[in-house]
């Protein structure tokens, strides 16, 4: 998606006969977005990608709605919602609305199932673990603290070297996940002022085509509904592909943060955009350099957005009692900010070491019953003087 890539063998024109040495045709698949009017890729298969032996329901649930949740500030320990499972069945839905869903997962096992999210792009933040993302487009190395941006409709597997400690944050987007437009020039190139550039983005490397006939189980997700399709041919049978639509990786440690004379708003830490929500991140940086600057964030009231923070690593300056894997939700219409004493303690600090992922939504979030099982019951009282 970020820029044009061509790998393997492709014909010199689109939509023309592309023959194997045997004279048989390779099968072209157009992988397009917004109908035929936005970015796309062309993939060239050994076999028709439409060949399916059977289709049947597949039962999988990620969490029920918490019907009578209150509009308030929440702090959660996502580890308390852990269950056993592979890269997509272990996901616990925590928050959601009509634009996105947010999951956490501790992945404990491998699977040979193929997976496709048909209705949503996925941003998978790899909090712990390393391995490979395997897809039609090839092999993409996965590192700790990677963002994996996976376009909807992509058939893939996510495999890890060691399953003793694999932890994911998954953001499911019902619109395209994009690099912010103001990071790019008119030709799509990332600007000198952008916090990352094309060199920081990793793309798949096409591997030898898997031309294998048999039964290959594909689980497809359609909203909250799943189906199991038995494919006749291995889905990773591409001889080549080109275009702008493919899975890609960006590591949070490559993000170059802005620094200001006084405290910068969270929007200056933007990393991705989508319809009706944004993804930001906080990384180590020097603090503000005004002689009376207050590095701690000011108290604020998100009258237009719900704010979710997923804590990755470090010392979280504005409050105590936060550990890696915790989540906070600050809902629109309810003010929040530093705990008592944290504003004063921040004055004079020169820098910070913290990593966190933030999602700001512009429609209210609903909560699932997983929140009940892992929430701190006294978080709302953490602003009282003790």
């Amino acid at each position: 998606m970020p820029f044009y890539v061509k790998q393997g063998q492709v014909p010199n024109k689109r939509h023309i006969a592309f023959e194997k040495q045997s004279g048989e045709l390779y099968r072209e698949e157009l992988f397009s977005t917004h109908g035929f009017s936005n970015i796309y890729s062309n993939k060239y298969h050994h076999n028709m990608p439409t060949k399916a032996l059977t289709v049947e329901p597949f039962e999988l649930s990620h969490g029920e709605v918490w019907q009578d949740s209150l509009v308030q500030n929440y702090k959660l320990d996502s580890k308390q919602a852990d269950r056993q499972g592979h890269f997509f069945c272990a996901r616990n839905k925590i928050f959601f609305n009509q634009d996105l869903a947010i999951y956490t997962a501790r992945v404990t096992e491998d699977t040979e199932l193929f997976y496709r999210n048909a209705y949503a792009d996925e941003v998978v933040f790899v909090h712990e673990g390393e391995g490979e993302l395997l897809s039609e487009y090839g092999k993409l190395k996965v590192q700790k603290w990677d963002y994996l941006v996976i376009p909807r409709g992509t058939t893939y597997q996510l495999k890890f070297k060691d399953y003793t400690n694999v932890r994911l944050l998954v953001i499911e987007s019902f619109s395209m996940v994009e690099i912010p437009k103001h990071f790019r020039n008119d030709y799509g190139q990332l600007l000198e002022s952008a916090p990352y550039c094309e060199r920081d983005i990793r793309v798949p490397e096409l591997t030898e085509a898997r031309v294998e006939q048999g039964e290959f189980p594909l689980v497809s997700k359609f909203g909250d509904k799943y189906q199991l399709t038995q494919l006749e041919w291995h889905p990773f049978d591409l001889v080549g592909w080109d275009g702008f639509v493919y899975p890609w990786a960006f590591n949070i440690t490559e993000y170059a943060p802005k620094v200001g004379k006084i405290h910068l708003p969270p929007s200056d830490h933007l990393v991705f955009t989508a319809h009706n929500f944004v993804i930001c991140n906080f990384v180590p940086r020097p603090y503000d350099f005004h002689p009376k600057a207050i590095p701690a964030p000011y108290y604020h009231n998100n009258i237009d957005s719900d704010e979710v923070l997923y804590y990755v690593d470090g010392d979280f300056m504005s409050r105590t009692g936060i550990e890696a894997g915790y989540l906070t939700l600050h809902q629109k219409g309810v003010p929040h900010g530093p705990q008592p004493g944290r504003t004063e303690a921040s004055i004079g600090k020169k820098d910070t070491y913290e990593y966190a992922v933030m999602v700001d939504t512009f429609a209210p979030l609903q909560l699932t019953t997983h929140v009940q099982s892992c929430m701190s019951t006294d978080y709302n009282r953490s602003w009282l003087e003790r």
Side-chain angles (χ1 to χ4, degrees):
M1 176 271 194
F3 43 79
Y4 176 79
V5 172
K6 180 173 71 174
Q7 295 199 10
Q9 303 173 49
V10 299
N12 58 9
K13 295 285 286 183
R14 296 169 295 179
H15 319 321
I16 64 172
F18 181 28
E19 297 177 344
K20 306 177 186 179
Q21 288 185 347
S22 64
E24 183 184 0
L25 291 178
Y26 289 110
R27 303 299 179 175
E28 181 183 35
E29 179 190 6
L30 174 64
F31 202 73
S32 63
T33 64
H34 295 190
F36 298 90
S37 60
N38 207 327
I39 59 173
Y40 61 90
S41 287
N42 283 295
K43 301 183 288 187
Y44 295 90
H45 295 265
H46 275 271
N47 293 284
M48 298 177 190
T50 50
K51 291 190 174 184
L53 301 172
T54 61
V55 182
E56 59 188 85
F58 187 87
E59 297 299 325
L60 185 57
S61 175
H62 297 289
E64 302 299 322
V65 181
W66 182 7
Q67 297 288 357
D68 57 350
S69 62
L70 296 174
V71 177
Q72 61 179 16
N73 295 322
Y74 289 88
K75 181 178 79 171
L76 322 173
D77 178 1
S78 68
K79 296 185 291 297
Q80 294 184 18
D82 284 350
R83 56 179 170 176
Q84 305 292 307
H86 51 71
F87 73 94
F88 66 86
C89 79
R91 299 176 182 182
N92 296 308
K93 185 189 289 187
I94 308 295
F95 309 121
F96 69 97
N97 62 20
Q98 65 267 35
D99 303 307
L100 81 163
I102 299 173
Y103 304 76
T104 62
R106 178 173 177 259
V107 182
T108 59
E109 60 191 58
D110 192 13
T111 181
E112 293 307 311
L113 292 171
F114 299 93
Y115 175 69
R116 177 190 297 162
N117 194 327
Y119 287 178
D121 287 14
E122 294 183 350
V123 178
V124 179
F125 180 77
V126 182
H127 189 177
E128 299 289 348
E130 58 180 19
E132 295 176 331
L133 189 152
L134 307 177
S135 73
E136 306 135 291
Y137 303 91
K139 184 183 298 185
L140 179 59
K141 183 179 180 181
V142 172
Q143 301 171 356
K144 178 180 176 178
W145 297 2
D146 272 348
Y147 290 104
L148 306 175
V149 182
I150 306 169
R152 72 198 61 200
T154 302
T155 301
Y156 76 94
Q157 295 174 322
L158 192 51
K159 295 182 175 291
F160 294 93
K161 293 180 180 178
D162 182 355
Y163 287 89
T164 56
N165 188 26
V166 176
R167 189 166 296 280
L168 309 176
L169 170 71
V170 181
I171 303 161
E172 186 182 58
S173 172
F174 303 119
S175 60
M176 184 182 294
V177 174
E178 299 184 273
I179 293 174
K181 289 183 179 179
H182 64 277
F183 288 2
R184 298 174 274 153
N185 63 25
D186 290 343
Y187 298 93
Q189 184 181 21
L190 281 156
L191 295 167
E192 281 284 296
S193 57
Y196 52 93
C197 75
E198 289 82 357
R199 297 181 191 180
D200 300 318
I201 291 169
R202 309 195 312 277
V203 304
E205 295 183 5
L206 188 65
T207 54
E208 185 176 354
R210 299 282 298 273
V211 188
E212 301 172 19
Q213 189 175 21
E215 292 189 11
F216 301 93
L218 166 66
V219 175
S220 297
K221 187 176 191 292
F222 304 91
D224 287 328
K225 179 182 176 182
Y226 287 84
Q227 291 180 182
L228 174 64
T229 301
Q230 293 290 346
L231 302 174
E232 183 184 9
W233 292 91
H234 197 291
F236 301 166
D237 69 339
L238 267 61
V239 67
W241 65 271
D242 75 333
F244 281 73
V245 182
Y246 47 84
W248 51 281
F250 168 71
N251 197 276
I252 194 173
T253 61
E254 301 295 343
Y255 189 89
K258 289 184 179 180
V259 177
K261 189 172 183 178
I262 57 175
H263 187 85
L264 297 175
S267 53
D268 277 350
H269 302 282
L270 184 65
V271 59
F272 304 125
T273 55
H275 175 70
N276 236 17
F277 75 94
V278 298
I279 302 174
C280 305
N281 53 207
F282 299 102
V283 302
R285 62 196 184 279
Y287 272 144
D288 327 309
F289 52 87
H290 187 284
K292 289 193 174 182
I294 300 176
Y298 30 75
Y299 295 95
H300 51 289
N301 190 334
N302 296 341
I303 62 171
D304 288 321
S305 63
D306 281 7
E307 174 197 282
V308 175
L309 265 169
Y310 180 84
Y311 298 91
V312 177
D313 192 52
D315 179 19
F316 304 107
M317 166 267 299
S318 61
R319 77 170 34 253
T320 59
I322 295 291
E323 298 180 15
Y326 277 40
L327 286 152
T328 54
L329 168 64
H330 301 130
Q331 295 186 280
K332 61 169 63 182
V334 182
H336 68 281
Q339 285 176 296
R342 303 295 283 184
T343 297
E344 294 81 357
S346 75
I347 297 173
K349 293 287 183 65
K350 299 300 182 185
D351 53 31
T352 181
Y353 177 83
E354 63 179 1
Y355 286 96
V357 177
M358 185 174 78
V359 183
D360 274 0
T361 72
F362 302 114
L365 288 166
Q366 295 189 63
L367 284 59
T368 72
T369 52
H370 289 304
V371 175
Q372 288 177 291
S373 68
C374 60
M375 64 182 282
S376 170
T377 57
D378 64 348
Y379 183 59
N380 280 327
R381 296 176 58 84
S382 66
W383 286 274
L384 299 177
E385 303 286 354
R386 300 295 175 96

